[in-house]
Amino acid sequence: MNTKVNKDVRIPLERGALLSVENGVQYRIQEEIGRGSSCIAYLATYCDHSGAVRRVRIKECYPLKLPVKRDENGCLSCRDQEAWEREKQKFLDSYRISHHFARERELTNSITGTMDLIRIHGTIYSISSYVEGEKLVFRRNRSLKSVLTIAHSIALVLQAMHEQGYLYLDLKPSNIFLYRETEELIQLFDFDSPVSMDTLRQAVLYTPGFAPLELVQGQFRRIGPWSDVFELGALVYYLLFGRVPSASDCDQDTCFDYRNSIFEPWEYRDSTELLLSSFFHRTLAGYYKDRFQHMEEAVAALEELLTVADPHGIFLHSTKLHAPSGVIGRERELQRISHWWQDQDSLCLYVTGLGGIGKSTLVRKWIALFRDQMDHLLLLDLEQASVRRRIASDESVSIHGISRQREETEREYCRRKMTALKALGEGCRNLLVLDNFSGEITGELQQLLQSGWKLILISRENRYREYFTHLELGELEAETEQRRLFESALNRQLSEEEMPYFRKIRTQVQGHTLILELLGKQIGSSHLTIREAEVLVRRKGFSAMSGQAVDHARDWHFQYADIREIIAGLFARNKLSSEKRLLLKELTLFYPTGMEFPQDGEKNASDVERCQDRERNTSDIKSLQIRENAAIQLEAEGWICRDSGLLKLHPLIHQVVDAWDWQEKECKMADGVMEQQIRTLEAERLRECSYSELIRKLNKAEEMLRTVWNSPALKLRKNCHLLTCMVLRRMPMDREAFILQYGTRLLQNPALYMKSFSAEQSLDICDRVAYQFLKREEHQTAEKVLGTAKKLAGRAPLEKARYYDLLAQHYDFLLHGEYDIAYGNPCLGKMLHAQEKSLYYIEKAEGKACGEKAFLKRAELVILLSRSVPEKKEEIRQMIRILKEKLRELQREQREGWQQYPEMLFSFYMALAWYYTYVSPDSGRIDACVAKAEPPARIVYNNDLDLIDYLYQPYANMKLECQGAENPQTELAGELLQRAIELCDSHGELVSYRRKKKELKQYLDMILS
């Protein structure tokens, strides 16, 4: 069959060309809207009998494969008259098929509605109705559900065609028309290929990539409804991955990687991928009998997919785990885990054993065998992190429909997610694995034990063995199993000459699986012989296990030291290249989460950006290739592993690598990694990313800082200080331990650590650290931090102003905001003095921004003076006059409206409202001022909690304080508080709003009583 594609040199009708019909109707061509192998399609208009202009779609018979020419009058002609007539007959047959389908009830709205057929200009034109919409080829699908809805609509149309005895056989995006604003109704057009199932005897046109094998090869006896089923599957694949399926995608054992789809995996449920793979296996199969044999089967599969592809609602994304290789033996342990899983009364399994003995690998192997029995799966690695931290992390526990809000702390977000996990566990069989567990039984863990989930705790300690079902993992007992493990790593069988050395090795390392695997891989990579390996472990073997028995904890402590000695010895024998060492040190910066790394030649984003920033050239490409080769070799040698697209270090290997000194080349590499983190955080700040995404990036940077600050060489680097500063300034204030740990480190030696910062950055750090000490009521320590802030402020006016702001906030904290009863309190006088000094220095500075700062500071002073010393009436009025004059100037300069300076307007009207509360009481004017303050407040504050704190609650206070509690204003204050309570109810799932609601209700009950 000839599949050669001719170059398209067809000349379309010009815009404005007329097609006249015998009944007097004239169709005016507006534009070309598409081409097929047999025709050109146009958008045209005509006037109906009432004079209204109507739009139609016109198809002109103009085949690509014939040498048809158009003359100056628009007429078409061809030298091969016989072939020309055959093509026109095919066009006529296509029109008749379309007209026939359009009259069928099931297909009336799904087939282009034909209106007329005219013969003019030497060819044939079909006229069809025009509806608003677009071709699928131009559609940007919004979600997986959108794709599946369109596919389901198409499948229903094809099913109806099959029931009429026809096959479509040319399904592709350009042949599918979508109605505007709906995905449940589509139109098929271009009926060149549809044929009757009874008369299929000759080759038909097809589109490569979308056509099944039997259609491509012209095997007419094998063409049937399953052929359209293949094209439907190919269409869904194209819409999902942005390309047509390859030959390997049509294999029955293909594993589809949905990470490469155009939709992010968090947009759909876990079961979606399993059902999608099943759908592709039953539609894209190369052999026609392996596909759905009837379109209604494909329709049913799509309907099942639609039930799980809804992007709305709350659902959990399970942890993606790949079955580990190299699990030798352990059948008895696997069976014990299975018995525990079936035991309804035992909720927690406690798996213990020496580090590197294979605990995590065993559990992962069991999960791979029994994953189909679990509705949800979570695996959380607690290495250097708490249960709360991991659950609050959206990277570890991703629940669709739940994200962290700026108003809630990590503890509160963790509780909200725990509530969701408990709800998701009802009526399901769910498993949660906590790896590297070594802490106390915390409140979060106790809640998990009561959540209905089954838990597996993997630990190097056995302190809780009496509380849970316990499985202690020891060495592989049988020599045959140890030999199988060793030979698997060696990638060959041991010879008889090698067996004596192997027996000595297994005795020395006491069957430790990690060491056996590492030794096997090092020998297999020709870094040492088995004899040299035996000498190494003899010198550095497990000394603690010989002689008298000691307690369990000391026993393991000695063994870890021996294990690290053996690993260090293997590294020494390996003689690592500089590239391998560099990559291993880089991985310590991303420990324990792991580092994204390209696989199979793909570059990750950080690699590409890093090279682009250095003006990419040939040497950059070569360095990336060397880096990839180093990763491949390290993985083959057992030093690193891949897990869900990440490169990771085993904890014991990490301890050895982390102890290496940082060489200058490695320090420069670390500089580059930290610089990339700084740019990433800065970019997130500029593009206003979601709060959950910001927290994810901050946690990743925190992970890196932990390693950097433990290195004497790296903690002196400028990028270490800059990254620490950026993370400190953006970290949520509830992360008290982090802010104090890293903030005090910087402040202990500001001359060394803070010389690279601006005064603003330095004062931000002082502010955050001092606040944490004040929360702890460590006032003397907070004052020391403020003393450091005074030194860092320098002599610039704005820097001095910022220092006095910090000082004022310090006294404000001591006053607890009770200005109206603070008269005579020395802290009040000091706070007012600090505020006045801040205003003084702001006014000494220059620039528009300084004018706005001065305005806001003066408004703040009006509020403070009005609430604390209202008798200073003239001083307060003078400040208000200055504020009014400044606003008039702004209104003259900027006529766009108050949206240009909302914070200033809000501050002014709230200051004026406090003035009319205490200095010159006037309830009506309070109402007028707050009414003017509310619109700008909704711009300044982007959440309802801030609106309650800074608008509704102060307004209620004003109504109460204006003329005394006995005044009828009490009722109005109660109404305001009730409105704030209702606003809290709209955020009922957030702890911060529930806490605020409780506070408001207590306040409301107090004033009403």
Side-chain angles (χ1 to χ4, degrees), residues 276 302 338 351 656 658 716 722 803 810 828 886:
L276 266 176
L302 287 168
S338 297
V351 181
V656 175
D658 193 44
L716 300 177
L722 291 174
Y803 161 70
H810 173 66
L828 175 62
K886 180 62 178 176

Side-chain angles (χ1 to χ4, degrees), residues 884-932:
K884 284 182 177 179
E885 182 56 35
K886 180 62 178 176
L887 280 179
R888 291 193 189 99
E889 289 179 16
L890 287 172
Q891 288 170 346
R892 286 194 294 269
E893 294 172 4
Q894 302 179 13
R895 298 181 181 180
E896 292 87 349
W898 55 262
Q899 291 87 346
Q900 297 294 319
Y901 38 92
E903 188 175 6
M904 295 171 67
L905 268 175
F906 170 74
S907 299
F908 171 74
Y909 285 116
M910 289 302 288
L912 208 55
W914 282 112
Y915 171 81
Y916 289 121
T917 301
Y918 287 106
V919 182
S920 180
D922 190 326
S923 179
R925 290 189 174 184
I926 292 174
D927 295 337
C929 288
V930 174
K932 291 179 180 180

Side-chain angles (χ1 to χ4, degrees), residues 550-562:
V550 291
D551 70 86
H552 199 77
R554 279 189 60 205
D555 213 25
W556 284 14
H557 173 76
F558 284 123
Q559 281 193 306
Y560 286 136
D562 292 337

Side-chain angles (χ1 to χ4, degrees), residues 66-111:
L66 292 182
V68 178
K69 293 185 178 181
R70 188 187 298 279
D71 63 22
E72 63 275 8
N73 297 317
C75 297
L76 298 180
S77 61
C78 181
R79 294 192 305 272
D80 190 344
Q81 190 63 31
E82 184 178 349
W84 179 221
E85 290 300 324
R86 283 199 303 269
E87 289 300 320
K88 286 193 283 187
Q89 184 61 44
K90 287 182 183 179
F91 186 86
L92 183 60
D93 293 341
S94 173
Y95 171 84
R96 288 170 178 166
I97 293 172
S98 179
H99 191 66
H100 166 73
F101 286 148
R103 289 183 297 169
E104 297 297 325
R105 181 181 301 176
E106 298 87 350
L107 297 169
T108 299
N109 295 318
S110 300
I111 304 297

Side-chain angles (χ1 to χ4, degrees), residues 359-425:
K359 303 181 297 296
S360 301
T361 303
L362 173 71
V363 171
R364 286 169 178 250
K365 176 66 175 179
W366 178 83
I367 291 173
L369 293 172
F370 294 91
R371 179 64 181 89
D372 58 347
Q373 295 185 15
M374 305 168 198
D375 295 300
H376 298 110
L377 167 69
L378 284 177
L379 192 151
L380 307 182
D381 190 343
L382 301 184
E383 183 77 15
Q384 300 186 3
S386 64
V387 174
R388 180 194 302 166
R389 176 68 47 80
R390 285 290 179 247
I391 291 179
S393 166
D394 288 337
E395 199 168 19
S396 301
V397 180
S398 175
I399 304 178
H400 184 275
I402 294 181
S403 60
R404 185 172 174 180
Q405 305 300 306
R406 293 182 183 274
E407 304 96 306
E408 61 186 336
T409 65
E410 181 180 80
R411 180 190 294 271
E412 293 166 349
Y413 187 45
C414 176
R415 287 178 184 173
R416 188 154 63 95
K417 291 178 83 171
M418 296 274 282
T419 301
L421 288 175
K422 185 173 183 179
L424 290 167

Side-chain angles (χ1 to χ4, degrees), residues 479-493:
E479 180 182 327
T480 53
E481 291 180 349
Q482 294 182 13
R483 179 177 174 177
R484 282 170 56 204
L485 177 66
F486 192 80
E487 289 178 336
S488 174
L490 189 62
N491 205 23
R492 64 174 175 83
Q493 289 185 337

